[in-house]
Short mmCIF file of all heavy atoms in Angstrom, two decimals:
data_model
loop_
_atom_site.label_atom_id
_atom_site.label_comp_id
_atom_site.label_asym_id
_atom_site.label_seq_id
_atom_site.Cartn_x
_atom_site.Cartn_y
_atom_site.Cartn_z
N TYR A 34 46.52 -61.19 -38.51
CA TYR A 34 46.84 -59.77 -38.46
C TYR A 34 47.28 -59.37 -37.05
O TYR A 34 46.98 -60.03 -36.08
CB TYR A 34 45.61 -58.95 -38.85
CG TYR A 34 44.99 -59.36 -40.15
CD1 TYR A 34 43.93 -60.27 -40.19
CD2 TYR A 34 45.45 -58.84 -41.38
CE1 TYR A 34 43.36 -60.65 -41.37
CE2 TYR A 34 44.88 -59.24 -42.55
CZ TYR A 34 43.83 -60.14 -42.56
OH TYR A 34 43.27 -60.52 -43.76
N LEU A 35 47.97 -58.24 -37.01
CA LEU A 35 48.32 -57.63 -35.73
C LEU A 35 48.01 -56.15 -35.84
O LEU A 35 48.72 -55.42 -36.54
CB LEU A 35 49.78 -57.84 -35.38
CG LEU A 35 50.20 -57.34 -34.01
CD1 LEU A 35 49.54 -58.19 -32.91
CD2 LEU A 35 51.71 -57.34 -33.84
N GLN A 36 46.95 -55.72 -35.19
CA GLN A 36 46.62 -54.32 -35.14
C GLN A 36 47.37 -53.71 -33.96
O GLN A 36 47.18 -54.12 -32.82
CB GLN A 36 45.10 -54.13 -34.96
CG GLN A 36 44.69 -52.67 -34.81
CD GLN A 36 44.91 -51.87 -36.09
OE1 GLN A 36 44.55 -52.31 -37.16
NE2 GLN A 36 45.52 -50.69 -35.93
N MET A 37 48.19 -52.72 -34.25
CA MET A 37 49.02 -52.10 -33.23
C MET A 37 48.62 -50.65 -33.05
O MET A 37 48.72 -49.86 -33.99
CB MET A 37 50.49 -52.19 -33.63
CG MET A 37 50.97 -53.60 -33.91
SD MET A 37 52.73 -53.72 -34.25
CE MET A 37 52.83 -52.81 -35.80
N ASN A 38 48.13 -50.31 -31.89
CA ASN A 38 47.70 -48.95 -31.57
C ASN A 38 48.57 -48.37 -30.46
O ASN A 38 49.26 -49.10 -29.74
CB ASN A 38 46.24 -48.96 -31.13
CG ASN A 38 45.31 -49.44 -32.21
OD1 ASN A 38 45.56 -49.27 -33.41
ND2 ASN A 38 44.22 -50.06 -31.80
N SER A 39 48.51 -47.08 -30.32
CA SER A 39 49.27 -46.39 -29.25
C SER A 39 50.73 -46.81 -29.24
O SER A 39 51.30 -47.12 -28.20
CB SER A 39 48.61 -46.65 -27.89
OG SER A 39 47.27 -46.24 -27.87
N LEU A 40 51.32 -46.81 -30.42
CA LEU A 40 52.70 -47.27 -30.53
C LEU A 40 53.67 -46.34 -29.79
O LEU A 40 53.46 -45.12 -29.77
CB LEU A 40 53.09 -47.38 -32.00
CG LEU A 40 52.49 -48.60 -32.73
CD1 LEU A 40 52.50 -48.41 -34.23
CD2 LEU A 40 53.24 -49.87 -32.33
N VAL A 41 54.69 -46.93 -29.22
CA VAL A 41 55.74 -46.21 -28.51
C VAL A 41 57.08 -46.61 -29.12
O VAL A 41 57.18 -47.67 -29.77
CB VAL A 41 55.70 -46.51 -27.00
CG1 VAL A 41 54.38 -46.05 -26.41
CG2 VAL A 41 55.90 -48.01 -26.74
N PRO A 42 58.10 -45.77 -28.93
CA PRO A 42 59.41 -46.09 -29.52
C PRO A 42 59.93 -47.48 -29.12
O PRO A 42 60.64 -48.11 -29.92
CB PRO A 42 60.30 -44.98 -28.98
CG PRO A 42 59.37 -43.81 -28.82
CD PRO A 42 58.09 -44.42 -28.34
N GLU A 43 59.56 -47.95 -27.95
CA GLU A 43 60.00 -49.26 -27.50
C GLU A 43 59.40 -50.40 -28.32
O GLU A 43 59.83 -51.56 -28.20
CB GLU A 43 59.66 -49.46 -26.03
CG GLU A 43 60.49 -48.60 -25.06
CD GLU A 43 60.06 -47.14 -25.09
OE1 GLU A 43 58.89 -46.84 -25.46
OE2 GLU A 43 60.89 -46.26 -24.73
N ASP A 44 58.42 -50.10 -29.14
CA ASP A 44 57.84 -51.11 -30.03
C ASP A 44 58.66 -51.28 -31.31
O ASP A 44 58.38 -52.18 -32.11
CB ASP A 44 56.40 -50.73 -30.42
CG ASP A 44 55.46 -50.75 -29.22
OD1 ASP A 44 55.57 -51.67 -28.39
OD2 ASP A 44 54.61 -49.83 -29.15
N THR A 45 59.66 -50.46 -31.49
CA THR A 45 60.52 -50.58 -32.66
C THR A 45 61.23 -51.92 -32.68
O THR A 45 61.91 -52.29 -31.72
CB THR A 45 61.55 -49.44 -32.69
OG1 THR A 45 60.86 -48.19 -32.85
CG2 THR A 45 62.54 -49.63 -33.81
N ALA A 46 61.04 -52.66 -33.77
CA ALA A 46 61.61 -54.01 -33.86
C ALA A 46 61.29 -54.59 -35.23
O ALA A 46 60.47 -54.02 -35.97
CB ALA A 46 61.03 -54.92 -32.78
N VAL A 47 61.91 -55.70 -35.52
CA VAL A 47 61.48 -56.52 -36.66
C VAL A 47 60.43 -57.47 -36.13
O VAL A 47 60.66 -58.17 -35.14
CB VAL A 47 62.65 -57.28 -37.30
CG1 VAL A 47 62.15 -58.16 -38.42
CG2 VAL A 47 63.71 -56.31 -37.81
N TYR A 48 59.29 -57.47 -36.77
CA TYR A 48 58.18 -58.31 -36.36
C TYR A 48 58.11 -59.54 -37.28
O TYR A 48 58.11 -59.42 -38.51
CB TYR A 48 56.87 -57.54 -36.42
CG TYR A 48 56.74 -56.57 -35.28
CD1 TYR A 48 57.52 -55.43 -35.19
CD2 TYR A 48 55.83 -56.79 -34.25
CE1 TYR A 48 57.43 -54.55 -34.13
CE2 TYR A 48 55.70 -55.92 -33.18
CZ TYR A 48 56.51 -54.80 -33.13
OH TYR A 48 56.39 -53.94 -32.07
N TYR A 49 58.05 -60.69 -36.65
CA TYR A 49 58.00 -61.96 -37.37
C TYR A 49 56.67 -62.67 -37.09
O TYR A 49 56.25 -62.74 -35.93
CB TYR A 49 59.13 -62.87 -36.92
CG TYR A 49 60.53 -62.34 -37.17
CD1 TYR A 49 61.16 -61.57 -36.22
CD2 TYR A 49 61.20 -62.64 -38.35
CE1 TYR A 49 62.45 -61.08 -36.42
CE2 TYR A 49 62.47 -62.15 -38.58
CZ TYR A 49 63.09 -61.38 -37.62
OH TYR A 49 64.35 -60.90 -37.82
N CYS A 50 56.09 -63.22 -38.13
CA CYS A 50 54.94 -64.06 -37.89
C CYS A 50 55.41 -65.50 -37.83
O CYS A 50 56.44 -65.88 -38.37
CB CYS A 50 53.87 -63.86 -38.97
SG CYS A 50 54.35 -64.15 -40.67
N LYS A 51 54.61 -66.30 -37.12
CA LYS A 51 54.98 -67.69 -36.86
C LYS A 51 53.71 -68.51 -36.83
O LYS A 51 52.65 -68.02 -36.41
CB LYS A 51 55.71 -67.81 -35.53
CG LYS A 51 56.20 -69.21 -35.21
CD LYS A 51 56.95 -69.22 -33.90
CE LYS A 51 57.50 -70.62 -33.58
NZ LYS A 51 58.25 -70.65 -32.30
N SER A 52 53.81 -69.76 -37.26
CA SER A 52 52.66 -70.65 -37.17
C SER A 52 53.14 -72.04 -36.76
O SER A 52 54.31 -72.40 -36.95
CB SER A 52 51.92 -70.71 -38.50
OG SER A 52 52.72 -71.29 -39.50
N TYR A 53 52.19 -72.78 -36.19
CA TYR A 53 52.47 -74.14 -35.74
C TYR A 53 51.53 -75.07 -36.48
O TYR A 53 50.31 -74.85 -36.54
CB TYR A 53 52.23 -74.26 -34.23
CG TYR A 53 53.09 -73.37 -33.40
CD1 TYR A 53 52.79 -72.02 -33.22
CD2 TYR A 53 54.23 -73.88 -32.77
CE1 TYR A 53 53.58 -71.20 -32.43
CE2 TYR A 53 55.04 -73.06 -31.99
CZ TYR A 53 54.71 -71.73 -31.82
OH TYR A 53 55.50 -70.92 -31.05
N LEU A 54 52.12 -76.13 -37.02
CA LEU A 54 51.35 -77.15 -37.74
C LEU A 54 51.84 -78.49 -37.25
O LEU A 54 52.90 -78.95 -37.65
CB LEU A 54 51.54 -76.98 -39.26
CG LEU A 54 50.84 -78.00 -40.14
CD1 LEU A 54 49.34 -77.91 -39.94
CD2 LEU A 54 51.18 -77.78 -41.62
N GLY A 55 51.06 -79.10 -36.37
CA GLY A 55 51.54 -80.32 -35.72
C GLY A 55 52.80 -80.00 -34.93
O GLY A 55 52.81 -79.10 -34.09
N MET A 56 53.85 -80.73 -35.19
CA MET A 56 55.13 -80.51 -34.51
C MET A 56 56.01 -79.52 -35.25
O MET A 56 57.07 -79.16 -34.78
CB MET A 56 55.88 -81.84 -34.36
CG MET A 56 55.14 -82.86 -33.50
SD MET A 56 54.91 -82.30 -31.82
CE MET A 56 56.60 -82.31 -31.25
N ALA A 57 55.57 -79.07 -36.40
CA ALA A 57 56.37 -78.16 -37.21
C ALA A 57 56.08 -76.71 -36.89
O ALA A 57 54.96 -76.35 -36.51
CB ALA A 57 56.09 -78.41 -38.69
N GLU A 58 57.11 -75.88 -37.02
CA GLU A 58 56.99 -74.44 -36.81
C GLU A 58 57.47 -73.72 -38.06
O GLU A 58 58.45 -74.13 -38.67
CB GLU A 58 57.82 -73.99 -35.62
CG GLU A 58 57.46 -74.66 -34.30
CD GLU A 58 58.36 -74.21 -33.16
OE1 GLU A 58 59.25 -73.38 -33.39
OE2 GLU A 58 58.17 -74.70 -32.02
N TYR A 59 56.79 -72.65 -38.39
CA TYR A 59 57.14 -71.91 -39.59
C TYR A 59 57.27 -70.43 -39.22
O TYR A 59 56.47 -69.90 -38.45
CB TYR A 59 56.08 -72.07 -40.68
CG TYR A 59 55.89 -73.50 -41.09
CD1 TYR A 59 54.91 -74.30 -40.50
CD2 TYR A 59 56.68 -74.07 -42.06
CE1 TYR A 59 54.75 -75.63 -40.85
CE2 TYR A 59 56.53 -75.39 -42.45
CZ TYR A 59 55.55 -76.17 -41.83
OH TYR A 59 55.39 -77.46 -42.20
N TRP A 60 58.28 -69.77 -39.81
CA TRP A 60 58.51 -68.36 -39.57
C TRP A 60 58.41 -67.58 -40.88
O TRP A 60 58.83 -68.06 -41.93
CB TRP A 60 59.91 -68.14 -39.03
CG TRP A 60 60.12 -68.58 -37.61
CD1 TRP A 60 60.59 -69.77 -37.19
CD2 TRP A 60 59.87 -67.82 -36.43
NE1 TRP A 60 60.65 -69.82 -35.83
CE2 TRP A 60 60.22 -68.61 -35.32
CE3 TRP A 60 59.39 -66.51 -36.19
CZ2 TRP A 60 60.10 -68.18 -34.01
CZ3 TRP A 60 59.28 -66.08 -34.87
CH2 TRP A 60 59.63 -66.90 -33.80
N GLY A 61 57.85 -66.37 -40.78
CA GLY A 61 57.90 -65.45 -41.90
C GLY A 61 59.21 -64.73 -41.91
O GLY A 61 60.05 -64.87 -41.01
N GLN A 62 59.41 -63.88 -42.91
CA GLN A 62 60.69 -63.25 -43.09
C GLN A 62 60.91 -61.99 -42.25
O GLN A 62 62.02 -61.50 -42.15
CB GLN A 62 60.89 -62.85 -44.58
CG GLN A 62 60.32 -61.50 -44.98
CD GLN A 62 58.79 -61.49 -45.06
OE1 GLN A 62 58.12 -62.47 -44.76
NE2 GLN A 62 58.23 -60.36 -45.44
N GLY A 63 59.88 -61.50 -41.62
CA GLY A 63 60.01 -60.30 -40.78
C GLY A 63 59.67 -59.03 -41.50
O GLY A 63 59.95 -58.88 -42.70
N THR A 64 59.08 -58.11 -40.78
CA THR A 64 58.78 -56.79 -41.31
C THR A 64 59.15 -55.74 -40.25
O THR A 64 58.87 -55.93 -39.06
CB THR A 64 57.30 -56.68 -41.72
OG1 THR A 64 57.05 -55.42 -42.33
CG2 THR A 64 56.34 -56.86 -40.54
N LEU A 65 59.84 -54.71 -40.67
CA LEU A 65 60.40 -53.73 -39.72
C LEU A 65 59.36 -52.68 -39.36
O LEU A 65 58.73 -52.07 -40.23
CB LEU A 65 61.61 -53.05 -40.35
CG LEU A 65 62.27 -51.94 -39.52
CD1 LEU A 65 62.81 -52.49 -38.20
CD2 LEU A 65 63.39 -51.28 -40.32
N VAL A 66 59.21 -52.48 -38.07
CA VAL A 66 58.37 -51.43 -37.53
C VAL A 66 59.27 -50.45 -36.79
O VAL A 66 60.01 -50.85 -35.89
CB VAL A 66 57.29 -51.98 -36.58
CG1 VAL A 66 56.53 -50.85 -35.91
CG2 VAL A 66 56.33 -52.88 -37.35
N THR A 67 59.21 -49.18 -37.17
CA THR A 67 60.00 -48.15 -36.53
C THR A 67 59.06 -47.09 -35.99
O THR A 67 58.27 -46.52 -36.76
CB THR A 67 60.99 -47.52 -37.49
OG1 THR A 67 61.83 -48.55 -38.05
CG2 THR A 67 61.87 -46.49 -36.78
N VAL A 68 59.14 -46.83 -34.70
CA VAL A 68 58.29 -45.83 -34.07
C VAL A 68 59.18 -44.67 -33.64
O VAL A 68 60.09 -44.83 -32.83
CB VAL A 68 57.55 -46.41 -32.86
CG1 VAL A 68 56.62 -45.35 -32.27
CG2 VAL A 68 56.78 -47.66 -33.24
N SER A 69 58.90 -43.50 -34.18
CA SER A 69 59.71 -42.33 -33.84
C SER A 69 59.06 -41.55 -32.71
O SER A 69 57.84 -41.53 -32.57
CB SER A 69 59.83 -41.43 -35.07
OG SER A 69 58.57 -40.95 -35.49
N SER A 70 59.91 -40.93 -31.92
CA SER A 70 59.40 -40.18 -30.77
C SER A 70 59.08 -38.74 -31.13
O SER A 70 59.41 -38.26 -32.21
CB SER A 70 60.42 -40.21 -29.64
OG SER A 70 61.66 -39.70 -30.07
#
């Protein structure tokens, strides 16, 4: 999980999760976070 507090507009982005298993790396598909001012 990623608990995000005190969000600011600069935090607006697509957030991707990633994991490492041995030498392999895996990415999730991304989830959009939009912070309005």
Side-chain angles (χ1 to χ4, degrees):
Y34 308 94
L35 185 68
Q36 177 67 47
M37 304 185 294
N38 299 329
S39 302
L40 285 161
V41 297
E43 291 73 24
D44 294 319
T45 294
V47 177
Y48 284 70
Y49 298 89
C50 57
K51 183 178 182 179
S52 66
Y53 299 81
L54 178 61
M56 297 298 292
E58 301 177 1
Y59 301 93
W60 288 94
Q62 86 287 2
T64 185
L65 177 62
V66 173
T67 303
V68 183
S69 63
S70 56

